[in-house]
Amino acid sequence: MGKLDGRVVIVTGAARGQGEQEARLFVAEGARVVVADVLDDLGEALAKEIGARYVHLDVGVEQEWQAAVAAAKKAYGRLDGLVNNAGILRFNALVDTPLEEFMQVVQVNQVGCFLGMKTVAPELADGGTIVNTASYTALTGMAAVGSYTATKHAVLGLTRVAALELADRGIRVNAICPGAVDTAMSNPARLDPDADPAEMSRALDELYRKLVPLGRIGRAEEVARLALFLTSDDSSYITGQPFVIDGGWLAGVSVI
Ligand code: NAD
């Protein structure tokens, strides 16, 4: 028996990275998954491979959410879960960040999460789940990623409010707060077709060996297992909480 047997779950930003691993794991655990992304070729190919359904969805556009939810319900007849995973990152010092760039990050990371919950929650079966992908920058500051950090703090705030407002229908809402994870976001070399992924991962582990207590960067598969926990009945008494998955990075400073 799978942990998600019979459940229908939308995963945004699922064409690659953490979302891809979540879609793969959820299907393996018996869910019917809607892979949603703006990367249509990658998303279509993944959906075909794992037996899921692909929908084009720019999470910052309300009409696209309405169309995606309608497509999911038409295909599977119900909705039990949402993983708001889509996100973007931009590097800039606060005083150098153009307003347009700041608003672009807000539109995807924050508005996307808001619209996802706003559109999907009324359609979720009672007892459904929402998992919002925040970041450990939802809980601390990080220089050079001010727009991103602001939106991830906001995602955590939205998570707590939604947990309070949806609890009477048994809908649980939690947030994942990853540290550094080996995906294209933190390792753009992954998008280079000539690069060797194993070599890239070794280089990243070396970089994070001193920074992170567990001595390496996180893997998308590890985050997917946390998303599974929060989407399944294993977390049946948990709502409104941030879950840090960062190899101990936020635990504190070390002088040894
Ligand atoms: P990624 O860049 O590989 O994946 C992000 C996915 O989101 C891509 O498939 C992309 O096409 C999609 N996306 C971007 N804009 C979109 C939009 N407007 N509508 C729909 N889809 C869109 O990176 P990832 O690491 O897999 O990121 C997944 C989530 O994890 C993000 O929310 C990110 O902020 C968060 N996160 C990542 C890290 C990390 O170190 N990689 C750390 C903490 C949090």
Coordinates of all heavy atoms in Angstrom, one line a residue, residues 11-22 36-40 42-43 54-61 64-65 84-90 104 107-109 112 132-137 148 151-152 155 176-187 190-191 208 217-218 220 223 245 249, ligand 1:
V11 N 1.5 19.4 -8.0 CA 2.8 19.9 -7.6 C 3.3 21.0 -8.6 O 3.4 20.7 -9.8 CB 3.9 18.7 -7.6 CG1 5.2 19.3 -7.1 CG2 3.4 17.6 -6.7
T12 N 3.5 22.2 -8.1 CA 3.9 23.2 -9.0 C 5.4 23.3 -9.1 O 6.2 22.8 -8.2 CB 3.4 24.6 -8.5 OG1 4.2 25.0 -7.3 CG2 2.0 24.7 -8.3
G13 N 5.9 23.8 -10.2 CA 7.4 23.8 -10.5 C 7.9 22.4 -10.5 O 9.1 22.1 -10.1
A14 N 7.2 21.5 -11.1 CA 7.5 20.1 -11.0 C 8.3 19.5 -12.2 O 8.6 18.3 -12.2 CB 6.2 19.2 -10.8
A15 N 8.6 20.4 -13.1 CA 9.3 19.9 -14.3 C 10.8 19.5 -14.0 O 11.3 18.6 -14.7 CB 9.3 21.0 -15.4
R16 N 11.3 20.0 -12.9 CA 12.7 19.7 -12.6 C 12.9 19.9 -11.1 O 12.0 20.4 -10.4 CB 13.7 20.5 -13.4 CG 13.8 21.9 -12.9 CD 14.8 22.7 -13.7 NE 14.9 24.0 -13.1 CZ 15.2 25.2 -13.7 NH1 15.4 25.2 -15.0 NH2 15.4 26.3 -13.1
G17 N 14.1 19.5 -10.6 CA 14.5 19.9 -9.2 C 13.6 19.2 -8.2 O 13.2 18.0 -8.3
Q18 N 13.4 19.9 -7.1 CA 12.6 19.3 -5.9 C 11.2 18.9 -6.4 O 10.7 17.8 -6.0 CB 12.5 20.3 -4.8 CG 13.9 20.6 -4.2 CD 13.8 21.8 -3.2 OE1 13.0 21.7 -2.3 NE2 14.6 22.8 -3.3
G19 N 10.6 19.7 -7.2 CA 9.2 19.4 -7.6 C 9.2 18.1 -8.4 O 8.3 17.3 -8.3
E20 N 10.2 17.9 -9.3 CA 10.3 16.7 -10.0 C 10.4 15.4 -9.1 O 9.7 14.5 -9.3 CB 11.5 16.7 -11.0 CG 11.7 15.4 -11.7 CD 13.0 15.3 -12.5 OE1 13.6 16.3 -12.7 OE2 13.4 14.1 -12.8
Q21 N 11.2 15.5 -8.1 CA 11.4 14.4 -7.2 C 10.1 14.2 -6.4 O 9.8 13.0 -6.0 CB 12.6 14.6 -6.3 CG 13.9 14.7 -7.0 CD 14.2 13.4 -7.9 OE1 13.8 12.3 -7.5 NE2 14.8 13.6 -9.1
E22 N 9.4 15.3 -6.0 CA 8.2 15.1 -5.3 C 7.1 14.4 -6.2 O 6.5 13.5 -5.7 CB 7.7 16.5 -4.9 CG 8.5 17.0 -3.7 CD 8.5 18.6 -3.5 OE1 7.8 19.3 -4.3 OE2 9.1 19.1 -2.6
A36 N 2.8 20.6 -12.7 CA 2.5 22.0 -13.2 C 3.8 22.8 -13.3 O 4.6 22.8 -12.4 CB 1.5 22.7 -12.3
D37 N 4.0 23.5 -14.4 CA 5.2 24.2 -14.6 C 5.0 25.1 -15.8 O 4.0 25.1 -16.5 CB 6.4 23.3 -14.8 CG 7.7 23.9 -14.3 OD1 8.1 24.9 -14.8 OD2 8.3 23.3 -13.4
V38 N 6.1 26.0 -16.0 CA 6.1 26.8 -17.2 C 7.1 26.2 -18.3 O 7.1 26.6 -19.4 CB 6.5 28.3 -17.0 CG1 5.4 29.0 -16.3 CG2 7.8 28.3 -16.1
L39 N 7.8 25.2 -17.8 CA 8.8 24.5 -18.7 C 8.0 23.3 -19.4 O 8.1 22.2 -18.9 CB 10.0 24.0 -17.9 CG 10.8 25.1 -17.3 CD1 11.9 24.4 -16.4 CD2 11.5 26.0 -18.3
D40 N 7.3 23.6 -20.5 CA 6.4 22.7 -21.0 C 7.0 21.4 -21.5 O 6.5 20.3 -21.2 CB 5.5 23.3 -22.1 CG 4.7 24.5 -21.6 OD1 4.3 24.4 -20.4 OD2 4.4 25.4 -22.4
L42 N 9.9 19.9 -20.7 CA 10.4 19.1 -19.6 C 9.2 18.5 -18.8 O 9.3 17.3 -18.4 CB 11.2 19.9 -18.6 CG 12.7 20.0 -18.8 CD1 13.3 20.8 -17.7 CD2 13.4 18.7 -18.9
G43 N 8.2 19.3 -18.5 CA 7.1 18.9 -17.7 C 6.3 17.8 -18.4 O 5.9 16.8 -17.8
Y54 N 0.3 16.6 -17.2 CA 1.0 17.9 -17.2 C 0.0 19.0 -17.5 O -0.9 18.9 -18.3 CB 2.1 17.9 -18.3 CG 2.8 19.3 -18.3 CD1 3.6 19.7 -17.3 CD2 2.5 20.2 -19.3 CE1 4.2 20.9 -17.3 CE2 3.0 21.5 -19.3 CZ 3.9 21.8 -18.3 OH 4.5 23.1 -18.3
V55 N 0.1 20.1 -16.7 CA -0.6 21.3 -17.1 C 0.4 22.5 -17.1 O 1.3 22.6 -16.2 CB -1.8 21.7 -16.1 CG1 -2.9 20.7 -16.2 CG2 -1.3 21.9 -14.7
H56 N 0.3 23.3 -18.1 CA 1.0 24.6 -18.1 C 0.4 25.5 -17.0 O -0.8 25.7 -17.0 CB 1.0 25.3 -19.5 CG 1.6 26.6 -19.5 ND1 3.0 26.8 -19.8 CD2 1.2 27.8 -19.1 CE1 3.3 28.0 -19.7 NE2 2.2 28.7 -19.3
L57 N 1.3 26.0 -16.1 CA 0.8 26.9 -15.1 C 1.9 27.9 -14.7 O 2.9 27.5 -14.1 CB 0.4 26.0 -13.8 CG 0.1 26.8 -12.6 CD1 -1.1 27.8 -12.8 CD2 -0.2 25.9 -11.4
D58 N 1.7 29.1 -15.0 CA 2.5 30.2 -14.4 C 1.8 30.6 -13.1 O 0.7 31.1 -13.1 CB 2.5 31.4 -15.4 CG 3.4 32.5 -14.8 OD1 3.6 32.6 -13.5 OD2 3.9 33.4 -15.6
V59 N 2.5 30.3 -12.0 CA 1.8 30.4 -10.7 C 1.4 31.8 -10.3 O 0.6 32.0 -9.4 CB 2.7 29.7 -9.6 CG1 2.8 28.3 -9.7 CG2 4.0 30.4 -9.4
G60 N 2.0 32.8 -11.0 CA 1.7 34.2 -10.7 C 0.4 34.7 -11.5 O 0.1 35.9 -11.3
V61 N -0.2 33.8 -12.2 CA -1.4 34.2 -13.0 C -2.7 33.5 -12.6 O -2.8 32.3 -12.7 CB -1.1 34.0 -14.5 CG1 -2.3 34.4 -15.4 CG2 0.2 34.6 -15.0
E64 N -4.6 31.2 -14.9 CA -3.9 29.9 -15.2 C -4.1 28.9 -14.0 O -4.2 27.7 -14.2 CB -2.4 30.1 -15.5 CG -2.2 30.9 -16.8 CD -0.8 30.8 -17.4 OE1 0.0 30.0 -16.9 OE2 -0.6 31.6 -18.3
W65 N -4.2 29.4 -12.8 CA -4.6 28.5 -11.7 C -6.0 28.0 -11.9 O -6.2 26.8 -11.6 CB -4.5 29.3 -10.4 CG -3.2 29.3 -9.7 CD1 -2.3 30.3 -9.6 CD2 -2.6 28.2 -9.0 NE1 -1.1 29.9 -8.9 CE2 -1.3 28.6 -8.6 CE3 -3.0 26.9 -8.8 CZ2 -0.5 27.7 -7.9 CZ3 -2.1 26.0 -8.1 CH2 -0.9 26.4 -7.6
N84 N 2.9 23.7 -3.2 CA 3.4 25.0 -3.8 C 4.9 25.0 -3.8 O 5.5 25.4 -2.8 CB 2.8 26.2 -3.0 CG 1.5 26.6 -3.5 OD1 1.2 26.7 -4.7 ND2 0.6 27.0 -2.5
N85 N 5.5 24.5 -4.9 CA 6.9 24.4 -4.9 C 7.6 25.4 -5.8 O 8.8 25.7 -5.6 CB 7.3 22.9 -5.4 CG 8.7 22.8 -5.8 OD1 9.6 22.7 -4.9 ND2 8.9 22.7 -7.1
A86 N 6.9 25.9 -6.9 CA 7.6 26.7 -7.9 C 8.2 27.9 -7.2 O 7.7 28.5 -6.2 CB 6.5 27.2 -8.9
G87 N 9.4 28.3 -7.6 CA 10.1 29.5 -7.1 C 11.2 29.9 -7.9 O 11.7 29.2 -8.7
I88 N 11.6 31.2 -7.7 CA 12.8 31.7 -8.4 C 13.6 32.5 -7.4 O 13.2 32.9 -6.4 CB 12.4 32.7 -9.6 CG1 11.5 33.8 -9.1 CG2 11.7 31.9 -10.7 CD1 11.3 34.9 -10.2
L89 N 14.9 32.6 -7.8 CA 15.9 33.3 -6.9 C 16.7 34.3 -7.7 O 17.0 34.1 -8.9 CB 16.9 32.2 -6.4 CG 18.1 32.6 -5.6 CD1 17.8 33.2 -4.3 CD2 19.0 31.4 -5.5
R90 N 16.9 35.5 -7.2 CA 17.7 36.5 -7.8 C 18.7 37.1 -6.8 O 18.3 37.3 -5.6 CB 16.8 37.7 -8.3 CG 15.8 37.3 -9.4 CD 16.5 37.0 -10.7 NE 15.5 36.6 -11.7 CZ 15.1 35.4 -12.0 NH1 15.6 34.4 -11.3 NH2 14.2 35.2 -12.9
Q104 N 9.2 40.8 -9.5 CA 9.2 39.5 -10.3 C 9.3 38.3 -9.3 O 8.6 37.3 -9.4 CB 10.4 39.5 -11.2 CG 10.4 38.3 -12.2 CD 11.7 38.2 -12.9 OE1 12.8 38.8 -12.5 NE2 11.8 37.4 -14.0
Q107 N 6.1 38.1 -7.3 CA 5.0 37.5 -8.2 C 5.0 36.0 -8.2 O 4.0 35.4 -8.1 CB 5.1 38.1 -9.6 CG 3.9 37.9 -10.5 CD 2.6 38.6 -10.0 OE1 2.8 39.7 -9.4 NE2 1.4 38.1 -10.2
V108 N 6.2 35.4 -8.3 CA 6.3 34.0 -8.4 C 6.2 33.4 -7.0 O 5.3 32.5 -6.8 CB 7.6 33.5 -9.1 CG1 7.7 32.0 -9.2 CG2 7.6 34.1 -10.6
N109 N 7.1 33.8 -6.1 CA 7.2 33.1 -4.9 C 6.1 33.3 -3.9 O 5.6 32.4 -3.2 CB 8.5 33.5 -4.2 CG 9.8 33.0 -5.0 OD1 9.6 32.5 -6.1 ND2 10.9 33.3 -4.4
G112 N 2.3 33.6 -6.1 CA 2.1 32.3 -6.6 C 1.6 31.4 -5.5 O 0.6 30.6 -5.7
N132 N 3.7 24.3 1.5 CA 4.3 25.4 0.8 C 5.8 25.3 0.9 O 6.3 25.1 2.0 CB 3.8 26.7 1.4 CG 2.3 26.9 1.2 OD1 1.8 26.6 0.1 ND2 1.6 27.4 2.2
T133 N 6.5 25.5 -0.2 CA 7.9 25.5 -0.1 C 8.5 26.9 0.2 O 8.4 27.8 -0.6 CB 8.5 25.0 -1.4 OG1 7.9 23.7 -1.8 CG2 10.0 24.8 -1.3
A134 N 8.9 27.0 1.4 CA 9.5 28.3 1.8 C 11.0 28.1 1.6 O 11.5 27.7 0.6 CB 9.2 28.6 3.3
S135 N 11.8 28.3 2.7 CA 13.2 28.2 2.6 C 13.8 28.4 4.0 O 13.0 29.0 4.9 CB 13.8 29.3 1.7 OG 15.2 29.5 2.0
Y136 N 15.0 28.1 4.3 CA 15.5 28.5 5.6 C 15.6 30.0 5.7 O 15.6 30.5 6.8 CB 16.7 27.7 6.1 CG 18.0 28.0 5.4 CD1 19.2 27.8 6.1 CD2 18.1 28.6 4.2 CE1 20.4 28.1 5.5 CE2 19.3 29.0 3.6 CZ 20.5 28.7 4.3 OH 21.7 29.0 3.8
T137 N 15.6 30.7 4.6 CA 15.6 32.1 4.6 C 14.2 32.7 5.0 O 14.0 33.9 5.0 CB 16.0 32.7 3.2 OG1 15.1 32.3 2.2 CG2 17.4 32.3 2.9
Y148 N 14.2 37.4 -2.3 CA 13.8 36.0 -2.1 C 13.5 35.8 -0.6 O 12.5 35.2 -0.3 CB 15.1 35.2 -2.5 CG 14.9 33.7 -2.4 CD1 14.3 33.0 -3.4 CD2 15.4 33.0 -1.3 CE1 14.2 31.6 -3.3 CE2 15.3 31.6 -1.2 CZ 14.7 30.9 -2.2 OH 14.5 29.5 -2.1
T151 N 10.1 37.1 0.4 CA 9.0 36.3 -0.1 C 8.9 35.0 0.7 O 7.8 34.5 1.0 CB 9.1 35.9 -1.6 OG1 10.3 35.2 -1.8 CG2 9.1 37.2 -2.5
K152 N 10.0 34.4 1.1 CA 9.9 33.2 1.8 C 9.4 33.4 3.3 O 8.7 32.6 3.8 CB 11.3 32.5 1.8 CG 11.7 32.0 0.4 CD 10.7 31.1 -0.2 CE 11.2 30.5 -1.5 NZ 10.3 29.6 -2.1
V155 N 5.8 33.5 2.7 CA 5.2 32.2 2.5 C 4.9 31.5 3.9 O 3.9 30.9 4.0 CB 6.1 31.3 1.7 CG1 5.7 29.8 1.7 CG2 6.1 31.8 0.2
I176 N 7.8 23.8 4.1 CA 9.1 23.2 4.0 C 10.2 24.3 4.0 O 10.0 25.2 3.2 CB 9.3 22.3 2.8 CG1 8.4 21.0 2.9 CG2 10.7 21.8 2.6 CD1 8.4 20.1 1.7
C177 N 11.2 24.2 4.8 CA 12.2 25.2 4.8 C 13.6 24.6 4.5 O 14.4 24.4 5.4 CB 12.3 26.0 6.1 SG 10.7 26.7 6.6
P178 N 13.9 24.4 3.2 CA 15.2 23.8 2.9 C 16.3 24.8 3.0 O 16.2 26.0 2.8 CB 15.0 23.4 1.4 CG 13.6 23.5 1.1 CD 13.1 24.6 2.0
G179 N 17.5 24.2 3.4 CA 18.8 25.0 3.2 C 19.2 24.9 1.8 O 18.4 25.0 0.9
A180 N 20.5 24.6 1.6 CA 21.0 24.5 0.2 C 20.7 23.1 -0.3 O 21.0 22.1 0.3 CB 22.5 24.8 0.1
V181 N 20.0 23.1 -1.5 CA 19.7 21.8 -2.1 C 20.3 21.8 -3.5 O 20.2 22.8 -4.2 CB 18.1 21.6 -2.2 CG1 17.8 20.3 -2.8 CG2 17.5 21.8 -0.8
D182 N 20.8 20.6 -3.9 CA 21.5 20.5 -5.2 C 20.5 20.4 -6.4 O 20.2 19.3 -6.9 CB 22.4 19.2 -5.1 CG 23.3 19.1 -6.4 OD1 23.2 20.0 -7.2 OD2 24.1 18.2 -6.4
T183 N 20.1 21.6 -6.8 CA 19.2 21.7 -8.0 C 19.7 22.8 -8.8 O 20.7 23.5 -8.4 CB 17.7 22.0 -7.6 OG1 17.7 23.4 -7.0 CG2 17.2 21.1 -6.6
A184 N 19.1 23.1 -9.9 CA 19.5 24.2 -10.8 C 19.5 25.5 -10.1 O 20.3 26.4 -10.5 CB 18.6 24.2 -12.1
M185 N 18.7 25.7 -9.1 CA 18.6 27.0 -8.4 C 19.9 27.3 -7.7 O 20.4 28.4 -7.8 CB 17.4 27.0 -7.4 CG 17.3 28.3 -6.7 SD 15.8 28.4 -5.7 CE 14.6 28.6 -6.9
S186 N 20.5 26.3 -7.0 CA 21.7 26.6 -6.3 C 22.9 26.2 -7.1 O 24.0 26.5 -6.7 CB 21.7 26.0 -4.9 OG 21.3 24.6 -5.0
N187 N 22.7 25.5 -8.1 CA 23.8 24.9 -9.0 C 23.4 25.1 -10.4 O 23.1 24.1 -11.1 CB 24.0 23.5 -8.6 CG 25.2 22.9 -9.3 OD1 25.9 23.6 -10.0 ND2 25.2 21.5 -9.3
R190 N 24.0 22.7 -13.4 CA 23.1 21.5 -13.8 C 22.4 21.7 -15.1 O 21.9 20.7 -15.7 CB 22.0 21.4 -12.7 CG 22.5 20.6 -11.5 CD 21.4 20.2 -10.6 NE 21.9 19.2 -9.6 CZ 21.8 17.9 -9.9 NH1 21.3 17.5 -10.9 NH2 22.3 17.1 -9.0
L191 N 22.3 23.0 -15.5 CA 21.5 23.2 -16.8 C 22.5 23.1 -18.0 O 22.1 23.3 -19.1 CB 20.9 24.6 -16.7 CG 19.8 24.8 -15.6 CD1 19.3 26.2 -15.6 CD2 18.7 23.8 -15.8
Y208 N 30.1 23.1 0.7 CA 29.2 23.1 1.9 C 29.8 22.3 3.1 O 29.2 22.3 4.2 CB 27.8 22.6 1.6 CG 27.0 23.6 0.8 CD1 27.0 23.6 -0.6 CD2 26.4 24.7 1.4 CE1 26.3 24.6 -1.3 CE2 25.8 25.7 0.7 CZ 25.7 25.6 -0.7 OH 25.1 26.6 -1.4
I217 N 25.7 19.4 0.7 CA 24.5 20.0 0.3 C 23.4 19.0 0.3 O 23.6 17.7 0.3 CB 24.7 20.5 -1.2 CG1 23.6 21.5 -1.6 CG2 24.9 19.4 -2.2 CD1 23.8 22.3 -2.8
G218 N 22.1 19.4 0.4 CA 21.0 18.5 0.5 C 20.6 18.0 -0.9 O 21.0 18.6 -1.9
A220 N 17.5 16.8 -3.6 CA 16.1 17.0 -3.9 C 15.3 15.8 -3.4 O 14.1 16.0 -2.9 CB 15.9 17.2 -5.4
V223 N 14.3 16.3 0.2 CA 13.2 17.2 0.4 C 11.9 16.6 0.0 O 10.8 16.8 0.7 CB 13.4 18.5 -0.4 CG1 12.3 19.5 -0.2 CG2 14.8 19.2 0.0
I245 N 14.9 21.7 6.8 CA 15.7 20.6 6.3 C 16.9 21.1 5.7 O 16.9 21.6 4.5 CB 14.8 19.7 5.3 CG1 15.6 18.6 4.7 CG2 14.1 20.5 4.3 CD1 14.8 17.5 4.0
W249 N 22.3 23.5 9.3 CA 22.9 24.8 9.1 C 22.3 25.9 10.0 O 23.0 26.8 10.5 CB 22.6 25.2 7.6 CG 23.6 26.2 7.1 CD1 24.6 26.8 7.7 CD2 23.7 26.6 5.7 NE1 25.3 27.6 6.8 CE2 24.7 27.5 5.6 CE3 22.9 26.3 4.5 CZ2 25.1 28.1 4.4 CZ3 23.3 26.9 3.3 CH2 24.3 27.8 3.3
Ligands
NAD1 P1 14.6 24.7 -9.7 O1 15.0 26.0 -10.3 O2 15.3 23.5 -10.2 O3 13.0 24.4 -9.8 C1 12.1 25.5 -9.8 C2 10.9 25.1 -10.7 O4 10.0 26.1 -10.6 C3 11.4 25.0 -12.1 O5 10.8 23.8 -12.7 C4 10.8 26.2 -12.8 O6 10.4 26.1 -14.1 C5 9.5 26.4 -11.9 N1 9.0 27.8 -12.0 C6 9.7 29.0 -12.0 N2 8.8 30.0 -12.1 C7 7.6 29.4 -12.3 C8 6.3 30.0 -12.5 N3 6.1 31.3 -12.6 N4 5.2 29.2 -12.6 C9 5.4 27.8 -12.5 N5 6.6 27.2 -12.3 C10 7.7 28.1 -12.2 O7 14.9 24.9 -8.1 P2 14.4 24.0 -6.8 O8 15.5 24.0 -5.9 O9 13.8 22.7 -7.3 O10 13.3 24.9 -6.3 C11 12.1 24.4 -5.7 C12 11.6 25.3 -4.6 O11 12.5 25.1 -3.5 C13 11.6 26.8 -4.8 O12 10.4 27.3 -4.2 C14 12.8 27.3 -4.2 O13 12.7 28.7 -3.8 C15 12.9 26.4 -3.0 N6 14.2 26.3 -2.3 C16 15.3 25.9 -3.0 C17 16.5 25.8 -2.4 C18 17.8 25.3 -3.1 O14 18.9 25.4 -2.6 N7 17.7 24.7 -4.3 C19 16.7 26.1 -1.1 C20 15.5 26.5 -0.4 C21 14.3 26.6 -1.0

